[in-house]
Amino acid sequence: MSEDIYNPLWKYRDEYREKFAQLTAEAFAHLTDVSGVDAADNAALLNEISRLERRIEDERRIRAWKGFVVGVVVPWIISLGFRLWQCVNPSFAERGMAAGEDEIVGLIVLLVVPLALEFAVLIPWYHASTALLVSLKERRDAAEAEAWRQMEPLNRLYDWDMTTALIQKTVPQLKFDKYFTERRLRDLRMRFGWQDDFNGDRSVLFAQTGQINGNPFVIGECLRREWGMKAYTGSLDIAWTEREHDWDGKTRTVRRTQTLHATVSKPCPYFHTEKFVIYGNEAAPRLVFSRGASDLSREEGGCLGGSQTQREIDRLEALSRNREGGQGYTIMANKEFEALFHATNRNDEIEFRLLFTPLAQKQMLDLLKDLTVGFGDDFAMCKENCITMVWPGHLQEPVIDTDPARFKDFNLCRAEKRFRQFNEDYFRNIYFALAPLLAIPMYQQPPSHRVSYESALDNSACFWEHESIANYLGEDAFRPSGCTTRCLLKTSVESRSNGSSRIRVTANGYRGIDRIDLVRVHGGDGKDHDVPVHWTEYVPVEATRTVAVAECPHDATQLSRHEEYSRRSIAVRFLAD
């Protein structure tokens, strides 16, 4: 068993960051060597592509100038042609606008010159530039196609597990699974009490599972549906007449207008993505608490000089002294930790202190107060018995899947830069998503005992992975007819045979129906008016489609059927409805 990670912040700063960067560089060099791609040949081809790109841009500018010159001659031709037409048209002659033979001959000569210039010189000149531009683009495209063929052996070597393998080499305490198995899900349920009702209004977009010294974790991304109220506004213009007295006492009729407004609120489904970490650990098995991200950790050295933190400490001390109403909170000696971590709703003071030892408090404070190496206090955390969840703020924007398609390129230098940059950013994002767990030494202790739940389905992908696969294929592949919102894709296993599973994917969405409410509004004319407010009623719609899923170690180059797709170590194929 690997040693515990002492102070995850310092460990990343002093060791892991540089080690991972080195391993990533070595991994790309190894892939290049295995692929046989010649860097010099690729560089020479890229230089040719760059040269052609520059020539294309130059020729575009030249053709634009030629087009301008061609266009300038056209008004000259039109004006001379119009004047010649006037000269020979009888109707103009009757109005005294006839021209002599000399003028007509002169106009013909003047017209022939620009026509000859336009059609014999300028237009062929412009067409030659267009043909050259087409030729240059074809040569550029052929060179790029050759570069893609040159890089194909390398592009085939990328896989879903490269990034996590690099993380495992860097941090031996972390082990990653190839995909979310039934065994891993059953372990979370039966040993740690995980409840599947969490997935009720969610659809899994991606899930990466693994272990910290034998304790299971899930790094997940879900599409979540929540119902809320949406305000709709309508208006109505009204007009009426009134009698009023003028300044001189005379009576006159005045027309007045007013725009009446009305608002109604109606239920509306809202969809948003969320990323989180689920961790199963037996430490402090009865403890329940939650905490949210705070700005207090950022005020040191600021204009407030820590005054907000001190006020929070004073408030917590008063809360600790107040025992009325069954209040069980007792402030610990490290008051800065209490203020910044702020888990006052804990249900068991003894287990809280068992979990957050002085070392854990120090490591957590280092993590919360750091603003340069990691991401500081940007996470919410909730523990409920043996399950702990973390919602890292910094993880909400970056991608957390390791789709190898993003590394494919025809440019070797650019591919290396992208490969290294993505992996280094990914490692930092994932490491500091797990850092709040790593900061607690008890969370790194291996399980005290293991319970074996042997099953023939142990290595089968669970429904988390099935939903992830369905979302990878895209909502549009399953969208119900008439659906105007996003869809939650939910799955169920229809049957299993010969190492393959038939998965039913049900897309749940909503169809919008236009409605009108008439809202009574009192107008300035003294009457009530019905103001129309248009709103949308969302009616559930769903559709089901079946796919075949097989867990096997093959990638996109090894698929047996052209209609199959590859997702991690899983092959997916649509089945006939």
Side-chain angles (χ1 to χ4, degrees):
M1 182 62 63
S2 304
E3 294 180 0
D4 290 350
I5 301 173
Y6 174 74
N7 200 312
L9 178 67
W10 296 355
K11 198 73 171 176
Y12 177 85
R13 180 193 64 193
D14 301 335
E15 179 183 344
Y16 292 154
R17 178 167 52 191
E18 183 177 350
K19 181 180 178 181
F20 185 85
Q22 180 63 32
L23 288 171
T24 303
E26 292 173 358
F28 190 85
H30 175 71
L31 288 171
T32 305
D33 290 342
V34 171
S35 70
V37 173
D38 189 293
D41 288 348
N42 185 254
L45 196 52
L46 293 175
N47 286 335
E48 175 64 13
I49 292 171
S50 297
R51 186 184 69 81
L52 290 170
E53 287 283 5
R54 290 192 297 271
R55 286 200 61 189
I56 288 170
E57 289 303 315
D58 292 341
E59 196 58 38
R60 280 199 182 109
R61 288 191 291 269
I62 292 171
R63 190 180 69 158
W65 168 249
K66 290 180 178 179
F68 172 75
V69 174
V70 169
V72 166
V73 178
V74 172
W76 184 13
I77 296 172
I78 293 174
S79 62
L80 289 172
F82 181 70
R83 178 56 187 152
L84 181 61
W85 176 71
Q86 286 182 325
C87 292
V88 299
N89 193 307
S91 63
F92 284 96
E94 293 174 1
R95 286 179 280 174
M97 299 178 64
E101 291 184 2
D102 292 343
E103 182 179 354
I104 292 174
V105 171
L107 286 171
I108 292 174
V109 172
L110 289 175
L111 184 60
V112 167
V113 171
L115 281 172
L117 178 65
E118 183 81 351
F119 289 98
V121 179
L122 296 181
I123 291 179
W125 184 48
Y126 179 81
H127 286 166
S129 184
T130 300
L132 177 58
L133 189 59
V134 171
S135 175
L136 289 171
K137 287 180 178 179
E138 288 176 349
R139 290 165 59 188
R140 187 269 318 274
D141 293 343
E144 285 189 1
E146 176 60 28
W148 277 110
R149 284 192 293 272
Q150 193 180 72
M151 288 284 287
E152 185 180 358
L154 176 60
N155 290 334
R156 284 201 307 263
L157 293 178
Y158 300 125
D159 63 56
W160 287 86
D161 301 318
M162 290 184 305
T163 304
T164 53
L166 290 169
I167 296 176
Q168 288 182 174
K169 287 182 180 180
T170 306
V171 189
Q173 294 84 349
L174 302 180
K175 303 296 182 185
F176 292 88
D177 303 327
K178 285 185 175 293
Y179 52 88
F180 200 160
T181 63
E182 288 283 359
R183 177 195 290 271
R184 181 70 69 210
L185 180 58
R186 188 169 59 249
D187 193 30
L188 282 166
R189 286 169 173 166
M190 302 186 69
R191 188 149 62 101
F192 301 100
W194 173 253
Q195 300 295 321
D196 281 337
D197 55 5
F198 172 85
N199 298 75
D201 287 322
R202 293 175 173 88
S203 179
V204 179
L205 302 179
F206 184 76
Q208 177 64 64
T209 59
Q211 303 176 67
I212 301 175
N213 285 342
N215 299 290
F217 67 79
V218 182
I219 301 171
E221 178 180 9
C222 286
L223 177 66
R224 185 175 184 180
R225 177 188 62 210
E226 293 181 314
W227 280 92
M229 302 300 289
K230 181 177 180 179
Y232 299 85
T233 302
S235 61
L236 177 69
D237 294 327
I238 62 172
W240 69 95
T241 58
E242 292 181 350
R243 303 283 291 174
E244 67 175 18
H245 295 287
D246 233 339
W247 63 273
D248 57 356
K250 295 181 179 179
T251 301
R252 65 174 183 173
T253 300
V254 180
R255 178 179 174 82
R256 303 199 183 279
T257 61
Q258 183 184 16
T259 300
L260 303 179
H261 298 277
T263 301
V264 298
S265 293
K266 300 293 182 178
C268 177
Y270 291 93
F271 297 82
H272 66 273
T273 58
E274 59 178 4
K275 298 174 185 174
F276 49 82
V277 178
I278 303 169
Y279 186 51
N281 193 283
E282 297 167 339
R286 294 182 298 276
L287 181 60
V288 176
F289 72 84
S290 63
R291 61 92 55 185
S294 168
D295 290 331
L296 292 178
S297 58
R298 301 176 183 269
E299 72 166 341
E300 183 176 346
C303 61
L304 296 177
S307 59
Q308 287 187 347
T309 300
Q310 186 55 54
R311 283 198 293 271
E312 183 60 25
I313 290 173
D314 293 342
R315 192 186 71 80
L316 293 178
E317 287 178 334
L319 181 65
S320 180
R321 290 191 297 268
N322 179 16
R323 299 291 178 170
E324 296 180 3
Q327 173 65 44
Y329 171 74
T330 303
I331 194 169
M332 295 196 294
N334 190 339
K335 296 176 182 178
E336 184 183 22
F337 169 78
E338 286 281 21
L340 269 59
F341 193 72
H342 205 274
T344 59
N345 61 350
R346 56 205 188 224
N347 70 330
D348 192 313
E349 289 290 335
I350 295 176
E351 288 206 343
F352 189 82
R353 283 161 170 75
L354 180 67
L355 195 64
F356 288 97
T357 61
L359 177 58
Q361 295 173 36
K362 178 184 181 305
Q363 295 184 161
M364 187 65 75
L365 277 176
D366 287 342
L367 197 63
L368 294 173
K369 295 164 68 175
D370 165 67
L371 298 176
T372 56
V373 179
F375 300 92
D377 186 359
D378 77 330
F379 63 90
M381 188 173 185
C382 172
K383 175 173 169 60
E384 187 162 348
N385 305 124
C386 294
I387 291 290
T388 302
M389 291 195 67
V390 181
W391 290 267
H394 70 269
L395 209 60
Q396 301 312 307
E397 292 301 324
V399 296
I400 63 170
D401 69 74
T402 54
D403 189 346
R406 63 172 48 89
F407 303 129
K408 296 181 180 181
D409 205 328
F410 65 85
N411 184 324
L412 182 62
C413 291
R414 189 166 61 201
E416 180 180 13
K417 182 178 180 181
R418 182 183 300 148
F419 182 86
R420 296 180 64 173
Q421 187 65 57
F422 172 83
N423 282 296
E424 290 174 22
D425 290 345
Y426 186 91
F427 174 52
R428 180 170 180 255
N429 290 328
I430 294 301
Y431 180 85
F432 282 101
L434 297 172
L437 305 172
L438 299 174
I440 303 171
M442 284 194 70
Y443 271 178
Q444 295 188 52
Q445 294 180 7
S448 58
H449 65 282
R450 296 180 181 272
V451 180
S452 178
Y453 310 103
E454 295 299 329
S455 169
L457 302 178
D458 277 350
N459 293 323
S460 298
C462 72
F463 77 91
W464 281 65
E465 198 67 52
H466 296 158
E467 289 183 13
S468 173
I469 290 169
N471 281 294
Y472 180 70
L473 297 175
E475 290 181 28
D476 289 343
F478 307 95
R479 182 179 298 279
S481 176
C483 180
T484 58
T485 67
R486 295 201 64 177
C487 298
L488 285 189
L489 304 183
K490 307 300 293 182
T491 62
S492 60
V493 178
E494 187 176 277
S495 63
R496 298 183 193 267
S497 64
N498 300 322
S500 179
S501 303
R502 289 177 61 93
I503 306 299
R504 294 181 63 84
V505 181
T506 302
N508 298 294
Y510 297 89
R511 175 169 57 92
I513 300 177
D514 293 333
R515 303 293 191 194
I516 299 177
D517 276 6
L518 299 178
V519 181
R520 301 289 286 179
V521 178
H522 191 72
D525 58 355
K527 300 177 183 178
D528 290 336
H529 300 268
D530 289 330
V531 178
V533 180
H534 296 261
W535 59 279
T536 302
E537 180 183 6
Y538 291 95
V539 179
V541 290
E542 71 174 38
T544 300
R545 194 172 180 186
T546 306
V547 298
V549 171
E551 300 82 9
C552 53
H554 72 283
D555 57 33
T557 64
Q558 299 170 312
L559 296 176
S560 58
R561 301 169 182 263
H562 71 276
E563 70 270 21
E564 284 186 350
Y565 302 84
S566 175
R567 173 68 163 174
R568 306 171 88 174
S569 295
I570 300 175
V572 188
R573 179 166 51 88
F574 285 105
L575 298 178
D577 295 332

